[in-house]
Tab-separated table of all heavy atoms in Angstrom:
chain	number	residue	atom	x	y	z
E	54	MET	N	-0.936	-1.788	-23.512
E	54	MET	CA	-0.596	-1.456	-22.070
E	54	MET	C	0.774	-0.975	-22.018
E	54	MET	O	1.666	-1.519	-22.549
E	54	MET	CB	-0.750	-2.745	-21.171
E	54	MET	CG	-0.450	-2.465	-19.700
E	54	MET	SD	-0.990	-3.824	-18.832
E	54	MET	CE	0.051	-3.618	-17.398
E	55	SER	N	1.016	0.096	-21.419
E	55	SER	CA	2.244	0.775	-21.370
E	55	SER	C	3.094	0.218	-20.047
E	55	SER	O	2.490	0.069	-19.123
E	55	SER	CB	2.119	2.318	-21.164
E	55	SER	OG	3.401	2.897	-21.048
E	56	ALA	N	4.320	-0.066	-20.245
E	56	ALA	CA	5.093	-0.499	-19.257
E	56	ALA	C	5.462	0.626	-18.244
E	56	ALA	O	5.528	1.767	-18.584
E	56	ALA	CB	6.570	-1.099	-19.782
E	57	ALA	N	5.545	0.249	-16.950
E	57	ALA	CA	5.847	1.192	-15.997
E	57	ALA	C	6.806	0.665	-14.887
E	57	ALA	O	6.882	-0.636	-14.798
E	57	ALA	CB	4.581	1.667	-15.298
E	58	VAL	N	7.478	1.488	-14.169
E	58	VAL	CA	8.342	1.103	-13.122
E	58	VAL	C	7.670	1.408	-11.841
E	58	VAL	O	7.127	2.540	-11.666
E	58	VAL	CB	9.722	1.943	-13.224
E	58	VAL	CG1	10.592	1.542	-11.970
E	58	VAL	CG2	10.377	1.764	-14.495
E	59	ARG	N	7.571	0.420	-10.911
E	59	ARG	CA	6.880	0.615	-9.560
E	59	ARG	C	7.906	0.664	-8.494
E	59	ARG	O	8.764	-0.162	-8.444
E	59	ARG	CB	5.837	-0.528	-9.445
E	59	ARG	CG	4.717	-0.430	-10.499
E	59	ARG	CD	3.774	-1.529	-10.371
E	59	ARG	NE	3.307	-1.718	-9.036
E	59	ARG	CZ	2.028	-1.398	-8.627
E	59	ARG	NH1	1.244	-0.933	-9.496
E	59	ARG	NH2	1.617	-1.624	-7.324
E	60	LEU	N	7.818	1.648	-7.688
E	60	LEU	CA	8.681	1.759	-6.532
E	60	LEU	C	7.867	2.387	-5.348
E	60	LEU	O	6.815	2.874	-5.461
E	60	LEU	CB	10.047	2.579	-6.823
E	60	LEU	CG	9.602	4.036	-7.421
E	60	LEU	CD1	10.582	5.006	-6.702
E	60	LEU	CD2	10.118	3.925	-8.905
E	61	ILE	N	8.468	2.345	-4.268
E	61	ILE	CA	7.840	2.809	-2.925
E	61	ILE	C	8.515	4.144	-2.556
E	61	ILE	O	9.732	4.218	-2.500
E	61	ILE	CB	7.944	1.802	-1.814
E	61	ILE	CG1	7.169	0.443	-2.225
E	61	ILE	CG2	7.364	2.326	-0.592
E	61	ILE	CD1	7.384	-0.689	-1.260
E	62	CYS	N	7.656	5.144	-2.218
E	62	CYS	CA	8.197	6.399	-1.662
E	62	CYS	C	9.104	6.190	-0.436
E	62	CYS	O	8.608	5.440	0.503
E	62	CYS	CB	6.984	7.339	-1.391
E	62	CYS	SG	7.579	8.875	-0.715
E	63	PRO	N	10.331	6.673	-0.401
E	63	PRO	CA	11.208	6.460	0.767
E	63	PRO	C	10.690	7.173	1.994
E	63	PRO	O	11.299	6.943	3.103
E	63	PRO	CB	12.508	6.948	0.281
E	63	PRO	CG	12.222	7.884	-0.766
E	63	PRO	CD	10.961	7.424	-1.521
E	64	ASN	N	9.857	8.125	1.946
E	64	ASN	CA	9.311	8.874	3.094
E	64	ASN	C	8.589	7.915	3.990
E	64	ASN	O	7.568	7.288	3.607
E	64	ASN	CB	8.427	9.979	2.652
E	64	ASN	CG	8.017	10.867	3.760
E	64	ASN	OD1	8.039	10.465	4.948
E	64	ASN	ND2	7.369	11.982	3.517
E	65	LEU	N	9.066	7.634	5.162
E	65	LEU	CA	8.506	6.662	6.116
E	65	LEU	C	7.108	7.072	6.549
E	65	LEU	O	6.284	6.133	6.914
E	65	LEU	CB	9.345	6.575	7.359
E	65	LEU	CG	10.742	6.001	7.057
E	65	LEU	CD1	11.614	5.837	8.380
E	65	LEU	CD2	10.727	4.650	6.381
E	66	LYS	N	6.643	8.231	6.460
E	66	LYS	CA	5.274	8.673	6.853
E	66	LYS	C	4.345	8.545	5.662
E	66	LYS	O	3.056	8.546	5.742
E	66	LYS	CB	5.331	10.039	7.286
E	66	LYS	CG	5.929	10.223	8.581
E	66	LYS	CD	5.765	11.618	9.229
E	66	LYS	CE	6.363	11.821	10.460
E	66	LYS	NZ	6.272	13.059	11.078
E	67	CYS	N	4.853	8.274	4.412
E	67	CYS	CA	4.025	8.240	3.101
E	67	CYS	C	3.959	6.703	2.696
E	67	CYS	O	2.876	6.220	2.756
E	67	CYS	CB	4.663	9.074	2.154
E	67	CYS	SG	3.867	9.038	0.505
E	68	ARG	N	5.089	6.271	2.276
E	68	ARG	CA	5.225	4.844	1.633
E	68	ARG	C	4.276	4.571	0.589
E	68	ARG	O	3.838	3.447	0.550
E	68	ARG	CB	5.107	3.880	2.848
E	68	ARG	CG	6.102	4.088	3.980
E	68	ARG	CD	7.548	3.967	3.578
E	68	ARG	NE	7.900	2.606	3.312
E	68	ARG	CZ	9.094	2.351	2.840
E	68	ARG	NH1	9.997	3.113	2.629
E	68	ARG	NH2	9.433	1.031	2.688
E	69	ALA	N	3.849	5.556	-0.207
E	69	ALA	CA	2.967	5.357	-1.354
E	69	ALA	C	3.721	4.629	-2.459
E	69	ALA	O	4.937	4.625	-2.610
E	69	ALA	CB	2.561	6.652	-1.881
E	70	VAL	N	3.009	3.785	-3.208
E	70	VAL	CA	3.538	3.035	-4.314
E	70	VAL	C	3.482	3.926	-5.556
E	70	VAL	O	2.390	4.421	-5.915
E	70	VAL	CB	2.757	1.725	-4.493
E	70	VAL	CG1	3.218	1.052	-5.888
E	70	VAL	CG2	2.755	0.721	-3.333
E	71	LEU	N	4.699	4.175	-6.075
E	71	LEU	CA	4.732	5.060	-7.248
E	71	LEU	C	4.862	4.235	-8.547
E	71	LEU	O	5.534	3.253	-8.586
E	71	LEU	CB	5.897	6.024	-7.171
E	71	LEU	CG	5.999	6.752	-5.875
E	71	LEU	CD1	7.331	7.562	-5.846
E	71	LEU	CD2	4.892	7.729	-5.645
E	72	SER	N	4.070	4.598	-9.604
E	72	SER	CA	4.214	3.953	-10.800
E	72	SER	C	4.585	5.057	-11.845
E	72	SER	O	3.827	5.961	-12.201
E	72	SER	CB	2.800	3.318	-11.124
E	72	SER	OG	2.932	2.606	-12.476
E	73	VAL	N	5.804	4.874	-12.353
E	73	VAL	CA	6.346	5.885	-13.258
E	73	VAL	C	6.688	5.254	-14.644
E	73	VAL	O	6.986	4.034	-14.686
E	73	VAL	CB	7.443	6.641	-12.752
E	73	VAL	CG1	7.149	7.446	-11.516
E	73	VAL	CG2	8.606	5.705	-12.451
E	74	PRO	N	6.581	5.956	-15.759
E	74	PRO	CA	7.007	5.344	-17.079
E	74	PRO	C	8.362	4.971	-17.063
E	74	PRO	O	9.316	5.488	-16.415
E	74	PRO	CB	6.691	6.582	-18.093
E	74	PRO	CG	6.484	7.765	-17.266
E	74	PRO	CD	6.172	7.378	-15.811
E	75	VAL	N	8.735	3.945	-17.938
E	75	VAL	CA	10.032	3.318	-18.147
E	75	VAL	C	11.059	4.535	-18.504
E	75	VAL	O	12.155	4.474	-18.075
E	75	VAL	CB	10.065	2.241	-19.075
E	75	VAL	CG1	11.478	1.677	-19.465
E	75	VAL	CG2	9.174	1.141	-18.517
E	76	HIS	N	10.660	5.419	-19.276
E	76	HIS	CA	11.643	6.476	-19.774
E	76	HIS	C	12.103	7.396	-18.681
E	76	HIS	O	12.930	8.184	-18.745
E	76	HIS	CB	10.974	7.274	-20.986
E	76	HIS	CG	9.855	8.098	-20.538
E	76	HIS	ND1	9.861	9.282	-19.912
E	76	HIS	CD2	8.476	7.770	-20.747
E	76	HIS	CE1	8.706	9.755	-19.802
E	76	HIS	NE2	7.776	8.917	-20.275
E	77	ALA	N	11.450	7.257	-17.459
E	77	ALA	CA	11.856	8.025	-16.264
E	77	ALA	C	13.094	7.425	-15.558
E	77	ALA	O	13.442	8.057	-14.623
E	77	ALA	CB	10.669	8.231	-15.362
E	78	ARG	N	13.446	6.354	-16.015
E	78	ARG	CA	14.592	5.621	-15.216
E	78	ARG	C	15.897	6.574	-15.173
E	78	ARG	O	16.215	7.131	-16.233
E	78	ARG	CB	15.009	4.320	-15.920
E	78	ARG	CG	14.071	3.179	-15.682
E	78	ARG	CD	14.662	1.890	-16.128
E	78	ARG	NE	13.783	0.805	-15.871
E	78	ARG	CZ	13.757	0.119	-14.643
E	78	ARG	NH1	14.698	0.489	-13.749
E	78	ARG	NH2	12.966	-0.908	-14.487
E	79	GLY	N	16.480	6.705	-14.015
E	79	GLY	CA	17.625	7.604	-13.879
E	79	GLY	C	17.317	9.042	-13.596
E	79	GLY	O	18.244	9.743	-13.404
E	80	LYS	N	16.006	9.200	-13.562
E	80	LYS	CA	15.590	10.732	-13.445
E	80	LYS	C	15.005	10.897	-12.010
E	80	LYS	O	14.599	9.845	-11.314
E	80	LYS	CB	14.611	11.111	-14.328
E	80	LYS	CG	15.164	11.142	-15.797
E	80	LYS	CD	14.151	11.574	-16.878
E	80	LYS	CE	14.811	11.556	-18.198
E	80	LYS	NZ	13.687	11.897	-19.181
E	81	ASN	N	14.651	12.051	-11.464
E	81	ASN	CA	14.065	12.309	-10.274
E	81	ASN	C	12.620	12.550	-10.570
E	81	ASN	O	12.264	13.297	-11.526
E	81	ASN	CB	14.655	13.573	-9.572
E	81	ASN	CG	16.057	13.237	-8.977
E	81	ASN	OD1	16.226	12.174	-8.560
E	81	ASN	ND2	16.943	14.202	-9.002
E	82	VAL	N	11.777	12.056	-9.753
E	82	VAL	CA	10.302	12.251	-9.861
E	82	VAL	C	9.810	12.662	-8.440
E	82	VAL	O	10.428	12.516	-7.412
E	82	VAL	CB	9.540	11.057	-10.301
E	82	VAL	CG1	9.933	10.513	-11.699
E	82	VAL	CG2	9.723	9.779	-9.316
E	83	ARG	N	8.713	13.343	-8.440
E	83	ARG	CA	8.101	13.774	-7.207
E	83	ARG	C	6.894	12.860	-6.864
E	83	ARG	O	5.929	12.668	-7.586
E	83	ARG	CB	7.678	15.191	-7.361
E	83	ARG	CG	7.280	15.822	-6.074
E	83	ARG	CD	7.031	17.262	-6.149
E	83	ARG	NE	6.487	17.841	-7.549
E	83	ARG	CZ	5.273	18.070	-7.784
E	83	ARG	NH1	4.360	18.000	-6.871
E	83	ARG	NH2	4.982	18.481	-9.006
E	84	CYS	N	6.876	12.517	-5.509
E	84	CYS	CA	5.651	11.717	-5.080
E	84	CYS	C	4.500	12.602	-5.047
E	84	CYS	O	4.544	13.723	-4.450
E	84	CYS	CB	6.144	11.186	-3.693
E	84	CYS	SG	4.631	10.310	-2.803
E	85	ARG	N	3.438	12.199	-5.508
E	85	ARG	CA	2.146	13.025	-5.557
E	85	ARG	C	1.565	13.087	-4.117
E	85	ARG	O	0.804	13.909	-3.865
E	85	ARG	CB	1.166	12.483	-6.538
E	85	ARG	CG	1.730	12.658	-8.006
E	85	ARG	CD	0.648	12.383	-8.947
E	85	ARG	NE	1.053	12.626	-10.332
E	85	ARG	CZ	0.371	12.609	-11.329
E	85	ARG	NH1	-0.917	12.336	-11.291
E	85	ARG	NH2	0.806	12.831	-12.580
E	86	GLN	N	1.870	12.103	-3.321
E	86	GLN	CA	1.253	12.019	-1.949
E	86	GLN	C	1.929	13.056	-1.071
E	86	GLN	O	1.152	13.810	-0.292
E	86	GLN	CB	1.345	10.655	-1.418
E	86	GLN	CG	0.736	9.653	-2.236
E	86	GLN	CD	-0.932	9.428	-1.766
E	86	GLN	OE1	-1.118	9.680	-0.620
E	86	GLN	NE2	-1.601	9.115	-2.707
E	87	CYS	N	3.234	13.096	-1.054
E	87	CYS	CA	3.936	13.852	-0.024
E	87	CYS	C	4.904	14.966	-0.611
E	87	CYS	O	5.362	15.872	0.063
E	87	CYS	CB	4.827	12.901	0.924
E	87	CYS	SG	6.185	12.081	0.086
E	88	GLY	N	5.167	14.833	-1.888
E	88	GLY	CA	6.013	15.764	-2.494
E	88	GLY	C	7.491	15.443	-2.480
E	88	GLY	O	8.254	16.243	-3.060
E	89	MET	N	7.923	14.460	-1.859
E	89	MET	CA	9.343	14.087	-1.845
E	89	MET	C	9.828	13.714	-3.129
E	89	MET	O	9.238	13.050	-3.957
E	89	MET	CB	9.464	12.798	-0.846
E	89	MET	CG	11.026	12.602	-0.567
E	89	MET	SD	11.101	11.301	0.772
E	89	MET	CE	12.777	11.480	1.279
E	90	ARG	N	11.084	14.084	-3.441
E	90	ARG	CA	11.730	13.754	-4.653
E	90	ARG	C	12.379	12.370	-4.585
E	90	ARG	O	13.012	12.091	-3.624
E	90	ARG	CB	12.881	14.756	-4.934
E	90	ARG	CG	12.425	16.135	-5.245
E	90	ARG	CD	12.434	16.523	-6.678
E	90	ARG	NE	11.858	17.779	-6.926
E	90	ARG	CZ	11.160	18.001	-7.989
E	90	ARG	NH1	10.984	17.134	-8.935
E	90	ARG	NH2	10.715	19.283	-8.095
E	91	VAL	N	12.195	11.531	-5.539
E	91	VAL	CA	12.649	10.253	-5.576
E	91	VAL	C	13.427	9.815	-6.794
E	91	VAL	O	12.826	10.245	-7.942
E	91	VAL	CB	11.457	9.236	-5.428
E	91	VAL	CG1	11.845	7.734	-5.436
E	91	VAL	CG2	10.583	9.413	-4.238
E	92	LYS	N	14.554	9.292	-6.746
E	92	LYS	CA	15.350	8.900	-7.974
E	92	LYS	C	14.862	7.577	-8.454
E	92	LYS	O	14.886	6.567	-7.718
E	92	LYS	CB	16.896	8.971	-7.661
E	92	LYS	CG	17.568	8.614	-8.975
E	92	LYS	CD	19.041	9.113	-8.910
E	92	LYS	CE	19.674	8.823	-10.240
E	92	LYS	NZ	20.672	9.664	-10.538
E	93	VAL	N	14.470	7.440	-9.605
E	93	VAL	CA	14.007	6.199	-10.258
E	93	VAL	C	15.261	5.438	-10.618
E	93	VAL	O	16.159	5.969	-11.301
E	93	VAL	CB	13.187	6.437	-11.471
E	93	VAL	CG1	12.621	5.110	-12.081
E	93	VAL	CG2	11.960	7.311	-11.194
E	94	PRO	N	15.492	4.193	-10.143
E	94	PRO	CA	16.700	3.533	-10.416
E	94	PRO	C	16.715	3.075	-11.996
E	94	PRO	O	15.725	2.889	-12.568
E	94	PRO	CB	16.505	2.224	-9.580
E	94	PRO	CG	15.008	2.131	-9.269
E	94	PRO	CD	14.498	3.492	-9.330
E	95	GLN	N	17.963	2.872	-12.362
E	95	GLN	CA	18.263	2.410	-13.726
E	95	GLN	C	17.915	0.892	-13.758
E	95	GLN	O	17.723	0.244	-12.770
E	95	GLN	CB	19.765	2.538	-14.055
E	95	GLN	CG	20.285	3.927	-14.081
E	95	GLN	CD	19.755	4.647	-15.413
E	95	GLN	OE1	19.331	3.979	-16.332
E	95	GLN	NE2	19.797	5.958	-15.401
E	96	ALA	N	17.776	0.381	-14.995
E	96	ALA	CA	17.446	-0.948	-15.178
E	96	ALA	C	18.530	-1.909	-14.613
E	96	ALA	O	19.797	-1.433	-14.694
E	96	ALA	CB	17.329	-1.227	-16.712
E	97	ALA	N	18.229	-2.953	-13.974
E	97	ALA	CA	19.219	-3.961	-13.450
E	97	ALA	C	20.047	-4.408	-14.641
E	97	ALA	O	19.559	-4.661	-15.698
E	97	ALA	CB	18.530	-4.974	-12.675
E	98	GLY	N	21.379	-4.672	-14.400
E	98	GLY	CA	22.276	-5.006	-15.456
E	98	GLY	C	21.674	-6.061	-16.439
E	98	GLY	O	21.327	-6.964	-16.264
E	99	GLY	N	21.378	-5.762	-17.665
E	99	GLY	CA	20.979	-6.706	-18.617
E	99	GLY	C	19.535	-7.023	-18.656
E	99	GLY	O	19.136	-7.649	-19.576
E	100	ALA	N	18.775	-6.653	-17.695
E	100	ALA	CA	17.320	-6.884	-17.652
E	100	ALA	C	16.638	-5.974	-18.574
E	100	ALA	O	16.941	-4.798	-18.508
E	100	ALA	CB	16.801	-6.827	-16.244
E	101	PRO	N	15.845	-6.560	-19.431
E	101	PRO	CA	14.982	-5.575	-20.391
E	101	PRO	C	14.135	-4.618	-19.505
E	101	PRO	O	13.661	-4.912	-18.459
E	101	PRO	CB	14.098	-6.535	-21.136
E	101	PRO	CG	14.707	-7.906	-20.842
E	101	PRO	CD	15.362	-7.841	-19.576
E	102	THR	N	14.004	-3.282	-20.018
E	102	THR	CA	13.201	-2.518	-19.244
E	102	THR	C	11.780	-2.730	-19.425
E	102	THR	O	11.247	-3.334	-20.328
E	102	THR	CB	13.505	-0.986	-19.873
E	102	THR	OG1	13.098	-1.028	-21.260
E	102	THR	CG2	14.904	-0.499	-19.619
E	103	GLY	N	10.974	-2.464	-18.396
E	103	GLY	CA	9.621	-2.596	-18.371
E	103	GLY	C	9.219	-4.036	-17.849
E	103	GLY	O	8.008	-4.275	-17.855
E	104	THR	N	10.058	-4.844	-17.455
E	104	THR	CA	9.625	-6.164	-16.986
E	104	THR	C	9.359	-6.302	-15.496
E	104	THR	O	8.740	-7.197	-15.072
E	104	THR	CB	10.811	-7.213	-17.407
E	104	THR	OG1	11.990	-6.863	-16.556
E	104	THR	CG2	11.116	-7.357	-18.794
E	105	GLY	N	9.709	-5.201	-14.817
E	105	GLY	CA	9.531	-5.344	-13.337
E	105	GLY	C	10.614	-5.990	-12.688
E	105	GLY	O	10.755	-5.945	-11.418
E	106	VAL	N	11.607	-6.566	-13.365
E	106	VAL	CA	12.804	-7.283	-12.753
E	106	VAL	C	13.787	-6.163	-12.249
E	106	VAL	O	14.067	-5.293	-12.985
E	106	VAL	CB	13.443	-8.159	-13.803
E	106	VAL	CG1	14.640	-8.755	-13.229
E	106	VAL	CG2	12.482	-9.226	-14.176
E	107	GLY	N	14.216	-6.365	-11.055
E	107	GLY	CA	15.181	-5.384	-10.528
E	107	GLY	C	14.595	-4.153	-9.835
E	107	GLY	O	15.279	-3.312	-9.320
E	108	THR	N	13.316	-4.014	-9.832
E	108	THR	CA	12.654	-2.997	-9.162
E	108	THR	C	12.487	-3.405	-7.577
E	108	THR	O	12.412	-4.578	-7.331
E	108	THR	CB	11.315	-2.617	-9.717
E	108	THR	OG1	10.371	-3.756	-9.632
E	108	THR	CG2	11.403	-2.165	-11.171
E	109	PRO	N	12.358	-2.344	-6.666
E	109	PRO	CA	12.262	-2.740	-5.289
E	109	PRO	C	11.079	-3.578	-4.982
E	109	PRO	O	11.118	-4.578	-4.203
E	109	PRO	CB	12.024	-1.357	-4.652
E	109	PRO	CG	12.802	-0.417	-5.510
E	109	PRO	CD	12.570	-0.976	-6.951
E	110	LEU	N	10.005	-3.379	-5.659
E	110	LEU	CA	8.798	-4.148	-5.371
E	110	LEU	C	8.910	-5.726	-5.862
E	110	LEU	O	8.498	-6.576	-5.240
E	110	LEU	CB	7.456	-3.582	-6.021
E	110	LEU	CG	7.006	-2.339	-5.398
E	110	LEU	CD1	5.775	-1.816	-6.072
E	110	LEU	CD2	6.651	-2.560	-3.954
E	111	ALA	N	9.537	-5.709	-7.099
E	111	ALA	CA	9.756	-7.104	-7.655
E	111	ALA	C	10.745	-7.907	-6.783
E	111	ALA	O	10.613	-9.107	-6.491
E	111	ALA	CB	10.214	-6.992	-9.128
E	112	ASP	N	11.791	-7.235	-6.310
E	112	ASP	CA	12.822	-7.841	-5.481
E	112	ASP	C	12.086	-8.310	-4.105
E	112	ASP	O	12.397	-9.411	-3.652
E	112	ASP	CB	13.876	-6.881	-5.113
E	112	ASP	CG	14.790	-6.647	-6.327
E	112	ASP	OD1	14.625	-7.345	-7.362
E	112	ASP	OD2	15.567	-5.586	-6.353
E	113	ALA	N	11.248	-7.399	-3.580
E	113	ALA	CA	10.602	-7.835	-2.305
E	113	ALA	C	9.669	-9.036	-2.511
E	113	ALA	O	9.652	-9.895	-1.632
E	113	ALA	CB	9.844	-6.651	-1.754
E	114	ALA	N	9.071	-9.015	-3.570
E	114	ALA	CA	8.083	-10.110	-3.836
E	114	ALA	C	8.824	-11.392	-4.119
E	114	ALA	O	8.365	-12.514	-3.739
E	114	ALA	CB	7.221	-9.789	-5.009
E	115	GLU	N	9.961	-11.364	-4.779
E	115	GLU	CA	10.786	-12.538	-5.040
E	115	GLU	C	11.330	-13.160	-3.638
E	115	GLU	O	11.326	-14.333	-3.536
E	115	GLU	CB	11.879	-12.178	-5.861
E	115	GLU	CG	12.754	-13.384	-6.413
E	115	GLU	CD	13.849	-12.939	-7.382
E	115	GLU	OE1	13.437	-12.199	-8.504
E	115	GLU	OE2	14.994	-13.216	-7.160
E	116	LYS	N	11.751	-12.280	-2.821
E	116	LYS	CA	12.252	-12.683	-1.551
E	116	LYS	C	11.209	-13.404	-0.680
E	116	LYS	O	11.482	-14.446	-0.066
E	116	LYS	CB	12.962	-11.561	-0.684
E	116	LYS	CG	14.227	-11.044	-1.254
E	116	LYS	CD	14.787	-9.989	-0.474
E	116	LYS	CE	16.080	-9.376	-1.131
E	116	LYS	NZ	16.509	-8.293	-0.347
E	117	LYS	N	10.048	-12.768	-0.743
E	117	LYS	CA	8.840	-13.278	-0.012
E	117	LYS	C	8.400	-14.695	-0.503
E	117	LYS	O	8.105	-15.513	0.242
E	117	LYS	CB	7.767	-12.374	-0.106
E	117	LYS	CG	6.574	-12.695	0.918
E	117	LYS	CD	5.614	-11.490	0.882
E	117	LYS	CE	4.548	-11.670	2.027
E	117	LYS	NZ	3.570	-10.725	1.990
E	118	ALA	N	8.449	-14.887	-1.898
E	118	ALA	CA	8.001	-16.102	-2.487
E	118	ALA	C	9.022	-17.170	-2.359
E	118	ALA	O	8.726	-18.361	-2.282
E	118	ALA	CB	7.717	-15.797	-3.977
E	119	GLY	N	10.387	-16.715	-2.285
E	119	GLY	CA	11.363	-17.792	-2.251
E	119	GLY	C	11.834	-18.177	-0.841
E	119	GLY	O	11.982	-19.152	-0.315
């Protein structure tokens, strides 16, 4: 299974969940739903890439659980 970065499209009318490969960190990708350009965030300081730690979805899930 390949690791991926998951994030939400910032377009308020779209809000699609994007799953992009780890090697796309720091690059711009295009949402397939609405076409908006989205910058994939870099890995959070010291967190290994591909763990889901430091991504917007992981942060939101952590806040909801805690």
Side-chain angles (χ1 to χ4, degrees):
M54 183 173 153
S55 178
V58 178
R59 295 174 54 106
L60 55 132
I61 298 174
C62 177
N64 183 346
L65 296 177
K66 291 185 178 181
C67 178
R68 304 301 282 176
V70 176
L71 309 175
S72 182
V73 297
V75 174
H76 65 81
R78 285 191 177 274
K80 298 180 181 177
N81 288 324
V82 296
R83 186 171 31 100
C84 175
R85 290 187 179 192
Q86 299 272 331
C87 69
M89 184 172 200
R90 296 251 177 220
V91 180
K92 181 158 183 151
V93 180
Q95 290 288 341
T102 57
T104 62
V106 176
T108 60
L110 291 177
D112 291 344
E115 187 175 307
K116 286 179 185 176
K117 191 173 187 180

